[in-house]
Amino acid sequence: MADIGTVRPLWWEDDAICIVDQRLLPEHYRVRRLGDVESVREAIATLAVRGAPAIGIAGAFGVYLGMRSLEGDDWDRRLGEVAEFLASARPTAVNLSWAVNRVVEVGRRTRNTQALLDAALTIWEEDRRLCHRIGEFGAPLLEACTAVLTHCNAGALGTSEWGTALAPIYALQSRGKILHVYADETRPLWQGARLTAWELSQAGIPVTVIPDSAAAVVLRQGRVQAVVVGADRIASNGDTANKIGTYGLAVLARHHHIPFYVAAPFSTFDLSLSCGAEIPIEERSPEELVFAGGRRIVPEGAAVWNPAFDVTPAEYITAFITDRGVIPPPYPEQIAKRIRPEI
Amino acid sequence: MADIGTVRPLWWEDDAICIVDQRLLPEHYRVRRLGDVESVREAIATLAVRGAPAIGIAGAFGVYLGMRSLEGDDWDRRLGEVAEFLASARPTAVNLSWAVNRVVEVGRRTRNTQALLDAALTIWEEDRRLCHRIGEFGAPLLEACTAVLTHCNAGALGTSEWGTALAPIYALQSRGKILHVYADETRPLWQGARLTAWELSQAGIPVTVIPDSAAAVVLRQGRVQAVVVGADRIASNGDTANKIGTYGLAVLARHHHIPFYVAAPFSTFDLSLSCGAEIPIEERSPEELVFAGGRRIVPEGAAVWNPAFDVTPAEYITAFITDRGVIPPPYPEQIAKRIRPEI
């Protein structure tokens, strides 16, 4: 097992990417060394590495790995092939193609493998700084809490380190303040039970897993003093798409007068969307609900509705915690103010 | 498979109890014939038959099966042994010892095996009438709905037939009005997915299983016009203990201005309790959350909180649907009025 300490899902070591294979968690902690572009692509495609920032970073290193033994005239053609090969591993993941393209642009300009590696290291380092900024901005909001509730995994495992929703908790830990975290198990894929509980335990932060349906009682009994979640996409008015269950939590938090925070990089704001109704909601395979551990749970005659995300209207969100600072209401105005910040 | 029609979890046939083995649902529909007291006890102890009224009925028939071949002086001693043997199968199930004792009293008075069978048949028939009354009283409340949401299984499978929360839906079906039912999957034991979805499908009622955390969106989108749940115990002021997740649903229903009904036999009111704070809440084994289908979901370092029930304060309940009629607010008063009804 890893030593107690903040988890990193991937790192660069001896000219290879090392990743924690997330498919095996929490049963097995296994580090895989990815030394060529083929194994990087396979790890991304099979979800051994997951979380938008983390797969972007892996893809960036993958470009370097695909190019490092190449010299000469084939450079540009090969660079295009490597980029296409990597980006197609998860075609809808915006961060992956964004990160791959950023390294490819450096490659076209420099035709130099060391410059590719430097670009990938920069992307990794930027993500670390961004997560740490979210943590530092969020820490004061949670400082007076003894416990918080979170949903799904918006933690270190999906980024370079620290994550987004969990970043303020790690930031407080680095100052010697330990919060207790309640983690919704997060059906149907159990990211809360499998991933959030694992990374917090590894970091030495006490965590209690609950069924999603027990969150209301946790709030009613005052076991937590805040709710913190991540976000997949935020409209310009603050309406927020995140893992299914987030909206219900937000309503329950308001009902119990408990603050509800959304932590995300500012790049999660999709300023082309005026409100949440414009965010497309992915419906995932019924199989995720029909079977559990190989056993059939839902009978054949029954229908299944399995939306991956829901949209929480901005009015339920106490504040956003971003790398550009905490954004309080009123929302369209306060969000707009951060669009061209002086950092 | 059974023919389409309202499911019965047990019935009396050829001098034996026939039960649907609920441990195997929804993967396998298997009827087991229990022709002696030993197999009845084993079926109760292993949850092949479940639900308070259903195990009471099975226990009542079990007394007859344990006594039918006996004549002479051993009668009273044997009757006591059979009763103790059956009641100890699930010592905390109030309905089981209540039903067994009722048949035993008949036995002590009559010393006649046919009288034991008649008593068991009466208990079965009374439960059927009681569920049907709940259905008939509840039907007008749901008549204008196109769809309703339910949680856990408070259906035919836990009673003689029709159940409690699902009884109004079956009553409407018998009048030719078909509702669509959304069923929360109900973690951690999946009673909604496994049992509610199965019995409704069998009865020809369309059912859609959702993750518990999607209920908020179902309510927000107006996919249902009412929520109906059962109850495990109701205090004299109307505070209601039921499966974990019920309280959150009640808060969400109120927030979305959707009526929230609790359907239960009047015997579920525990008039010795003044309010919900006096209802003891059972916490179940962490294993139910830690493992799913044999796979470890929660890591070893993490804690688990797995309350079996929660308490919904009376103020969130639009009305109770009972065998003594619909009970609207104000609660302590309206409930008290039904204590000695003229039926």
Side-chain angles (χ1 to χ4, degrees), chain A residues 52-53 94-95 127 130 134 154 159 163-165 229-242 262-273 279 309 320-324 327 335:
Chain A
V94 174
N95 279 57
D127 188 70
L130 183 152
I134 291 172
T159 62
T164 54
V229 299
D232 283 81
R233 210 158 163 189
I234 309 171
S236 56
N237 73 338
D239 291 353
T240 296
N242 191 45
V262 172
F266 193 81
S267 58
T268 312
F269 286 89
D270 183 340
L271 301 166
S272 72
L273 304 179
I279 304 178
F309 305 103
F320 293 94
I321 306 171
T322 81
D323 50 308
R324 298 188 184 179
I327 308 182
I335 292 165

Side-chain angles (χ1 to χ4, degrees), chain B:
Chain B
M1 291 296 274
D3 291 335
I4 289 289
T6 309
V7 162
R8 288 186 185 185
L10 49 72
W11 59 92
W12 184 252
E13 190 178 293
D14 293 338
D15 231 32
I17 315 173
C18 294
I19 65 155
V20 176
D21 190 334
Q22 297 192 35
R23 297 167 302 181
L24 307 179
L25 291 175
E27 291 175 299
H28 307 287
Y29 176 85
R30 194 167 300 155
V31 174
R32 288 178 60 201
R33 200 176 169 280
L34 312 175
D36 55 63
V37 66
E38 287 77 15
S39 54
V40 173
R41 185 188 195 279
E42 188 263 344
I44 294 171
T46 61
L47 309 186
V49 55
R50 58 156 276 289
I55 64 176
I57 296 163
F61 284 117
V63 177
Y64 163 73
L65 290 173
M67 297 299 292
R68 70 173 157 188
S69 55
L70 198 83
E71 304 270 339
D73 290 345
D74 286 340
W75 177 270
D76 280 345
R77 184 177 53 75
R78 172 70 180 163
L79 194 60
E81 284 169 5
V82 165
E84 166 58 26
F85 179 68
L86 284 164
S88 65
R90 290 195 64 190
T92 56
V94 173
N95 279 58
L96 177 58
S97 55
W98 171 85
V100 164
N101 287 337
R102 213 175 123 180
V103 178
V104 163
E105 276 168 34
V106 170
R108 293 210 194 286
R109 213 167 53 236
T110 62
R111 298 185 130 234
N112 178 294
T113 51
Q114 183 60 42
L116 299 178
L117 179 57
D118 290 346
L121 286 165
T122 299
I123 287 172
W124 181 35
E125 183 56 28
E126 280 179 7
D127 188 70
R128 290 186 57 228
R129 281 212 305 270
L130 183 152
C131 291
H132 279 251
R133 272 209 300 275
I134 292 173
E136 299 300 339
F137 283 126
L141 297 178
L142 305 184
E143 210 158 21
C145 299
T146 59
V148 299
L149 172 65
T150 190
H151 190 67
C152 196
N153 178 254
L157 284 170
T159 61
S160 52
E161 65 179 31
W162 276 28
T164 54
L166 301 188
I169 292 155
Y170 291 124
L172 285 169
Q173 183 187 34
S174 73
R175 303 175 188 179
K177 159 87 180 175
I178 306 283
L179 296 188
H180 183 146
V181 178
Y182 280 84
D184 283 349
E185 63 168 352
T186 316
R187 284 283 293 154
L189 296 182
W190 285 296
Q191 293 96 333
R194 289 177 48 237
L195 304 177
T196 296
W198 183 81
E199 70 165 81
L200 290 172
S201 298
Q202 289 296 308
I205 293 172
V207 56
T208 300
V209 175
I210 59 169
D212 300 322
S213 65
V217 178
V218 165
L219 294 168
R220 179 174 172 86
Q221 294 181 347
R223 288 173 179 244
V224 298
Q225 296 81 43
V227 180
V228 196
V229 299
D232 283 81
R233 210 157 165 191
I234 309 171
S236 56
N237 73 338
D239 291 354
T240 296
N242 191 46
K243 182 68 56 202
I244 185 72
T246 303
Y247 167 64
L249 266 190
V251 172
L252 291 167
R254 167 187 282 192
H255 185 80
H256 295 94
H257 310 293
I258 288 173
F260 184 87
Y261 299 114
V262 172
F266 194 79
S267 58
T268 312
F269 285 89
D270 183 340
L271 301 166
S272 72
L273 304 179
S274 65
C275 72
E278 297 170 19
I279 304 177
I281 296 300
E282 175 191 355
E283 291 190 16
R284 292 181 58 86
S285 162
E287 307 290 289
E288 292 179 355
L289 282 171
V290 170
F291 296 97
R295 187 183 169 191
R296 177 175 274 275
I297 300 299
V298 176
E300 298 208 20
V304 160
W305 187 52
N306 184 22
F309 305 103
D310 58 28
V311 174
T312 300
E315 61 182 291
Y316 295 94
I317 297 166
T318 308
F320 293 94
I321 306 171
T322 81
D323 49 309
R324 298 188 183 178
V326 171
I327 308 183
Y331 284 131
E333 297 77 5
Q334 288 291 330
I335 292 165
K337 271 193 192 170
R338 314 288 168 135
I339 292 177
R340 284 184 198 81
E342 310 295 324
I343 299 179

